Each structure stands twice: as structure tokens, then as C-alpha cells.
Amino acid sequence: MKSEDIVLGILSEKPSSGYEIKQKFSTIFSNFYNASFGSVYPILHNLEKQGKVTSKLLPQEGKPNKKVYSITNKGVEAFMEFLQSSVEQEKIKWDFMVRLYYAKRLSAIEQKVLITEEIRRREQEVNTLNQLKREDWENKMDSFQLFSFELGIKQKQLMIDELKRLLENLRV
């Protein structure tokens, strides 16, 4: 899976600006994929060069023109090929877990800070995702999208619960 596959998927739902696509990566897809603004725009430019997306400028009152991208038939075909291809083995790079694995080498205070900061980050992510859900996102998602979204929240909450348990054991 490449970032361009996800961008094509997003555009298959509706035409979107680069900013709107990045917002999807920061919210809905944050459970299982991440992309920066710095990667979204080159992807869109490349997809446009390949004829998989087109763009048009929409005038906005009091704001700069908004560039909106739409998927082409060639882009739909590429996205469908991705969906029908074999699922890749999951690739994980998790900085926090590597640090936690070696946390014995840190002082007790550093261990607690490491864990507490991760709990805080995860709680912020869960709060953001739950807020999106409250903003009627669940009524806009099909059952597969909702499953992916809710599973991500549950995974983050499980991590929070387990880290709190670990932190409590450190206090003994």
C-alpha cells in the first residue's frame, strides 16, 4: 500500500483539496496510516501527471482560490487494482515501543515521563476521534469504515489502559 492508494480512495468518495485530504490522514486514517502535508501535495502532483486525478481552481470570496482534485477513470481503475491486490504484510515502526523496550536503562523518573507522555498523546488522539464521531461522522460512514474507525479507538484505549497499569506497577 502506498500513500497514493489512499489518496485515490479519498478522492473516490468526493473531490477534495489537498488540505481536506491531509485532514483525513490526520483523523480517520490516523489509526493505521500517516502522511504529512509535505507528502500529500507531491502525491497529488504525481497522480495528476499520471492522469489519475485532475484539478480545478475554485474561487473563494475573501480567500485564495481553492485547488480541488477529482479522480479520473484511470484513477478509479488504479484504486480498484489496489483494492483487489493481495494484502501486504503489516509494517510497523513504533518509536515509543522501542524506547519502552529499553526503558530499564532510564531512571525511574524518565520511565514515568516516557509512559505519562505516551498516555497523554493517546488520550488526545482518542478524544479527537471521539469528537469526530460525535460530530455525526458515524452517520457518514459505511459499516466497514465505521468498523475501522472504532477499532482504532479501541486499540488506542487499550494501550492507554495497559500503560496506566504499567505506570501503577512502577509506583510499587
Side-chain angles (χ1 to χ4, degrees):
M1 170 181 55
K2 298 178 279 191
S3 298
E4 77 175 30
D5 297 321
I6 297 174
V7 169
L8 289 172
I10 292 168
L11 293 175
S12 73
E13 294 178 329
K14 70 177 186 129
S16 302
S17 67
Y19 179 80
E20 291 165 333
I21 292 168
K22 173 54 181 137
Q23 288 303 104
K24 284 253 185 162
F25 278 107
S26 299
T27 55
I28 299 298
F29 294 116
S30 68
N31 294 323
F32 45 86
Y33 204 88
N34 190 11
S36 66
F37 276 116
S39 65
V40 169
Y41 289 102
I43 289 166
L44 286 165
H45 177 73
N46 196 31
L47 289 171
E48 194 166 20
K49 271 178 45 179
Q50 296 172 24
K52 295 177 182 176
V53 303
T54 59
S55 66
K56 65 179 176 180
L57 288 177
L58 296 180
Q60 299 185 100
E61 200 169 310
K63 298 180 187 177
N65 292 341
K66 181 178 180 178
K67 193 171 191 178
V68 176
Y69 296 86
S70 299
I71 193 167
T72 64
N73 288 337
K74 186 176 181 180
V76 170
E77 288 173 18
F79 182 63
M80 291 307 297
E81 284 177 25
F82 158 71
L83 284 180
Q84 295 165 348
S85 67
S86 298
V87 174
E88 294 176 8
Q89 184 173 345
E90 186 177 345
K91 298 173 190 167
I92 300 173
K93 289 194 258 181
W94 197 350
D95 184 60
F96 169 76
M97 288 303 290
V98 172
R99 292 170 193 259
L100 186 63
Y101 185 85
Y102 292 107
K104 182 178 180 182
R105 297 178 184 180
L106 299 173
S107 70
I109 291 172
E110 290 170 321
Q111 291 170 350
K112 290 177 184 178
V113 167
L114 176 70
I115 295 166
T116 302
E117 286 179 357
E118 185 67 11
I119 290 170
R120 182 189 53 77
R121 270 192 299 276
R122 297 278 170 166
E123 286 175 337
Q124 283 178 324
E125 291 170 355
V126 167
N127 288 339
T128 298
L129 293 172
N130 279 325
Q131 183 177 348
L132 286 173
K133 191 174 175 185
R134 284 190 298 274
E135 291 172 357
D136 208 29
W137 277 68
E138 63 188 325
N139 293 333
K140 298 175 184 171
M141 294 183 192
D142 64 39
S143 60
F144 297 106
Q145 293 169 333
L146 190 58
F147 177 85
S148 300
F149 185 78
E150 289 181 336
L151 182 62
I153 293 172
K154 289 176 184 175
Q155 287 174 325
K156 289 178 189 317
Q157 188 59 55
L158 176 62
M159 184 68 171
I160 292 166
D161 296 343
E162 290 301 313
L163 286 173
K164 284 181 177 178
R165 189 174 60 78
L166 176 62
L167 193 59
E168 191 61 37
N169 288 337
L170 291 177
R171 293 191 176 128
V172 175

